[in-house]
Amino acid sequence: MPGRRGRARGRTRIHGTDRLRRRLAELGGVVLDASTAAVQASAEAVQAGTRDRVRVDTGNLRDHVGIYYARGGLAAQVGWKDRADWYATANELGTRSMPAQPALGPALEEERARFEARLRDEIRRRL
């Protein structure tokens, strides 16, 4: 018997919704793992780029570029945290008597342009 506006009434049964719910719940873990891996790879790329660009006298700054993870690996800071490496800022920004020779900034900007593709590729690879 037609319902409103001449449409026939009927019932629809969808099979597999329980399986779909389970699979969607599993995806959260896959995306989280892929995101963590992408952040780690990105941080390592910034670290390597900084090491390649940093001014080298004794090699201390080149050898002490660190990666510091937070939020379960979903955030990373790259740089120098040791007080003995205070002069990294002088190298990065320059002083009155020394021109800037940025290393961390350019490495970060280079990776910023790649991060979205890195994250997308990592998620696709795991799915």
Side-chain angles (χ1 to χ4, degrees), residues 70-85:
R71 297 183 190 161
L74 291 174
Q77 292 181 347
V78 179
W80 299 272
K81 289 212 175 187
D82 190 339
R83 287 181 184 238
D85 298 331

PDB file of all heavy atoms in Angstrom, residues 70-85:
ATOM      1  N   ALA A  70      56.222  13.746  23.275  1.00  0.00           N
ATOM      2  CA  ALA A  70      55.166  14.012  24.251  1.00  0.00           C
ATOM      3  C   ALA A  70      53.863  13.432  23.708  1.00  0.00           C
ATOM      4  O   ALA A  70      53.799  13.007  22.547  1.00  0.00           O
ATOM      5  CB  ALA A  70      55.029  15.517  24.476  1.00  0.00           C
ATOM      6  N   ARG A  71      52.847  13.429  24.536  1.00  0.00           N
ATOM      7  CA  ARG A  71      51.506  12.950  24.172  1.00  0.00           C
ATOM      8  C   ARG A  71      51.525  11.558  23.555  1.00  0.00           C
ATOM      9  O   ARG A  71      50.908  11.295  22.527  1.00  0.00           O
ATOM     10  CB  ARG A  71      50.835  13.930  23.220  1.00  0.00           C
ATOM     11  CG  ARG A  71      50.611  15.288  23.820  1.00  0.00           C
ATOM     12  CD  ARG A  71      49.882  16.178  22.880  1.00  0.00           C
ATOM     13  NE  ARG A  71      49.895  17.531  23.389  1.00  0.00           N
ATOM     14  CZ  ARG A  71      49.664  18.584  22.662  1.00  0.00           C
ATOM     15  NH1 ARG A  71      49.377  18.455  21.378  1.00  0.00           N
ATOM     16  NH2 ARG A  71      49.687  19.779  23.195  1.00  0.00           N
ATOM     17  N   GLY A  72      52.283  10.691  24.169  1.00  0.00           N
ATOM     18  CA  GLY A  72      52.336   9.311  23.702  1.00  0.00           C
ATOM     19  C   GLY A  72      52.963   9.155  22.326  1.00  0.00           C
ATOM     20  O   GLY A  72      52.656   8.217  21.611  1.00  0.00           O
ATOM     21  N   GLY A  73      53.823  10.080  21.949  1.00  0.00           N
ATOM     22  CA  GLY A  73      54.484  10.008  20.659  1.00  0.00           C
ATOM     23  C   GLY A  73      53.774  10.765  19.557  1.00  0.00           C
ATOM     24  O   GLY A  73      54.220  10.770  18.414  1.00  0.00           O
ATOM     25  N   LEU A  74      52.667  11.437  19.876  1.00  0.00           N
ATOM     26  CA  LEU A  74      51.930  12.203  18.871  1.00  0.00           C
ATOM     27  C   LEU A  74      52.438  13.632  18.732  1.00  0.00           C
ATOM     28  O   LEU A  74      51.959  14.384  17.890  1.00  0.00           O
ATOM     29  CB  LEU A  74      50.438  12.210  19.190  1.00  0.00           C
ATOM     30  CG  LEU A  74      49.745  10.864  19.024  1.00  0.00           C
ATOM     31  CD1 LEU A  74      48.302  10.952  19.494  1.00  0.00           C
ATOM     32  CD2 LEU A  74      49.803  10.398  17.575  1.00  0.00           C
ATOM     33  N   ALA A  75      53.385  14.013  19.558  1.00  0.00           N
ATOM     34  CA  ALA A  75      54.015  15.331  19.463  1.00  0.00           C
ATOM     35  C   ALA A  75      55.508  15.145  19.707  1.00  0.00           C
ATOM     36  O   ALA A  75      55.919  14.276  20.472  1.00  0.00           O
ATOM     37  CB  ALA A  75      53.426  16.281  20.501  1.00  0.00           C
ATOM     38  N   ALA A  76      56.300  15.961  19.031  1.00  0.00           N
ATOM     39  CA  ALA A  76      57.753  15.863  19.187  1.00  0.00           C
ATOM     40  C   ALA A  76      58.371  17.252  19.126  1.00  0.00           C
ATOM     41  O   ALA A  76      57.889  18.122  18.402  1.00  0.00           O
ATOM     42  CB  ALA A  76      58.346  14.985  18.092  1.00  0.00           C
ATOM     43  N   GLN A  77      59.415  17.444  19.913  1.00  0.00           N
ATOM     44  CA  GLN A  77      60.215  18.659  19.855  1.00  0.00           C
ATOM     45  C   GLN A  77      61.614  18.236  19.456  1.00  0.00           C
ATOM     46  O   GLN A  77      62.143  17.243  19.966  1.00  0.00           O
ATOM     47  CB  GLN A  77      60.258  19.357  21.207  1.00  0.00           C
ATOM     48  CG  GLN A  77      58.944  19.934  21.630  1.00  0.00           C
ATOM     49  CD  GLN A  77      59.049  20.643  22.980  1.00  0.00           C
ATOM     50  OE1 GLN A  77      60.034  20.496  23.690  1.00  0.00           O
ATOM     51  NE2 GLN A  77      58.041  21.407  23.305  1.00  0.00           N
ATOM     52  N   VAL A  78      62.189  18.990  18.552  1.00  0.00           N
ATOM     53  CA  VAL A  78      63.545  18.714  18.097  1.00  0.00           C
ATOM     54  C   VAL A  78      64.387  19.932  18.424  1.00  0.00           C
ATOM     55  O   VAL A  78      63.967  21.064  18.200  1.00  0.00           O
ATOM     56  CB  VAL A  78      63.584  18.438  16.575  1.00  0.00           C
ATOM     57  CG1 VAL A  78      65.005  18.174  16.109  1.00  0.00           C
ATOM     58  CG2 VAL A  78      62.673  17.273  16.225  1.00  0.00           C
ATOM     59  N   GLY A  79      65.565  19.701  18.978  1.00  0.00           N
ATOM     60  CA  GLY A  79      66.445  20.823  19.284  1.00  0.00           C
ATOM     61  C   GLY A  79      67.432  20.471  20.371  1.00  0.00           C
ATOM     62  O   GLY A  79      67.744  19.311  20.609  1.00  0.00           O
ATOM     63  N   TRP A  80      67.901  21.513  21.036  1.00  0.00           N
ATOM     64  CA  TRP A  80      68.909  21.355  22.081  1.00  0.00           C
ATOM     65  C   TRP A  80      68.290  21.731  23.420  1.00  0.00           C
ATOM     66  O   TRP A  80      67.682  22.780  23.560  1.00  0.00           O
ATOM     67  CB  TRP A  80      70.095  22.279  21.794  1.00  0.00           C
ATOM     68  CG  TRP A  80      70.749  21.964  20.496  1.00  0.00           C
ATOM     69  CD1 TRP A  80      71.752  21.068  20.292  1.00  0.00           C
ATOM     70  CD2 TRP A  80      70.470  22.534  19.219  1.00  0.00           C
ATOM     71  NE1 TRP A  80      72.099  21.045  18.965  1.00  0.00           N
ATOM     72  CE2 TRP A  80      71.328  21.939  18.284  1.00  0.00           C
ATOM     73  CE3 TRP A  80      69.560  23.499  18.762  1.00  0.00           C
ATOM     74  CZ2 TRP A  80      71.327  22.259  16.934  1.00  0.00           C
ATOM     75  CZ3 TRP A  80      69.545  23.822  17.416  1.00  0.00           C
ATOM     76  CH2 TRP A  80      70.427  23.205  16.515  1.00  0.00           C
ATOM     77  N   LYS A  81      68.470  20.876  24.418  1.00  0.00           N
ATOM     78  CA  LYS A  81      67.907  21.157  25.743  1.00  0.00           C
ATOM     79  C   LYS A  81      68.986  21.266  26.814  1.00  0.00           C
ATOM     80  O   LYS A  81      68.718  21.701  27.910  1.00  0.00           O
ATOM     81  CB  LYS A  81      66.902  20.080  26.137  1.00  0.00           C
ATOM     82  CG  LYS A  81      65.635  20.176  25.337  1.00  0.00           C
ATOM     83  CD  LYS A  81      64.462  19.726  26.126  1.00  0.00           C
ATOM     84  CE  LYS A  81      63.203  19.960  25.319  1.00  0.00           C
ATOM     85  NZ  LYS A  81      62.010  19.696  26.054  1.00  0.00           N
ATOM     86  N   ASP A  82      70.190  20.872  26.495  1.00  0.00           N
ATOM     87  CA  ASP A  82      71.280  20.919  27.458  1.00  0.00           C
ATOM     88  C   ASP A  82      71.731  22.373  27.632  1.00  0.00           C
ATOM     89  O   ASP A  82      71.940  23.090  26.652  1.00  0.00           O
ATOM     90  CB  ASP A  82      72.440  20.062  26.949  1.00  0.00           C
ATOM     91  CG  ASP A  82      73.525  19.847  27.982  1.00  0.00           C
ATOM     92  OD1 ASP A  82      73.620  20.636  28.930  1.00  0.00           O
ATOM     93  OD2 ASP A  82      74.278  18.864  27.824  1.00  0.00           O
ATOM     94  N   ARG A  83      71.902  22.803  28.842  1.00  0.00           N
ATOM     95  CA  ARG A  83      72.349  24.180  29.094  1.00  0.00           C
ATOM     96  C   ARG A  83      73.695  24.481  28.451  1.00  0.00           C
ATOM     97  O   ARG A  83      73.986  25.616  28.096  1.00  0.00           O
ATOM     98  CB  ARG A  83      72.438  24.445  30.594  1.00  0.00           C
ATOM     99  CG  ARG A  83      71.094  24.565  31.231  1.00  0.00           C
ATOM    100  CD  ARG A  83      71.261  24.843  32.722  1.00  0.00           C
ATOM    101  NE  ARG A  83      69.967  24.866  33.340  1.00  0.00           N
ATOM    102  CZ  ARG A  83      69.511  25.911  34.013  1.00  0.00           C
ATOM    103  NH1 ARG A  83      70.245  26.971  34.180  1.00  0.00           N
ATOM    104  NH2 ARG A  83      68.309  25.873  34.535  1.00  0.00           N
ATOM    105  N   ALA A  84      74.518  23.469  28.287  1.00  0.00           N
ATOM    106  CA  ALA A  84      75.825  23.662  27.668  1.00  0.00           C
ATOM    107  C   ALA A  84      75.700  23.986  26.176  1.00  0.00           C
ATOM    108  O   ALA A  84      76.661  24.436  25.561  1.00  0.00           O
ATOM    109  CB  ALA A  84      76.686  22.419  27.859  1.00  0.00           C
ATOM    110  N   ASP A  85      74.524  23.797  25.624  1.00  0.00           N
ATOM    111  CA  ASP A  85      74.298  24.071  24.208  1.00  0.00           C
ATOM    112  C   ASP A  85      73.589  25.418  23.991  1.00  0.00           C
ATOM    113  O   ASP A  85      72.954  25.637  22.968  1.00  0.00           O
ATOM    114  CB  ASP A  85      73.463  22.944  23.586  1.00  0.00           C
ATOM    115  CG  ASP A  85      74.157  21.602  23.660  1.00  0.00           C
ATOM    116  OD1 ASP A  85      75.398  21.577  23.666  1.00  0.00           O
ATOM    117  OD2 ASP A  85      73.442  20.581  23.722  1.00  0.00           O
TER     118      ASP A  85
END
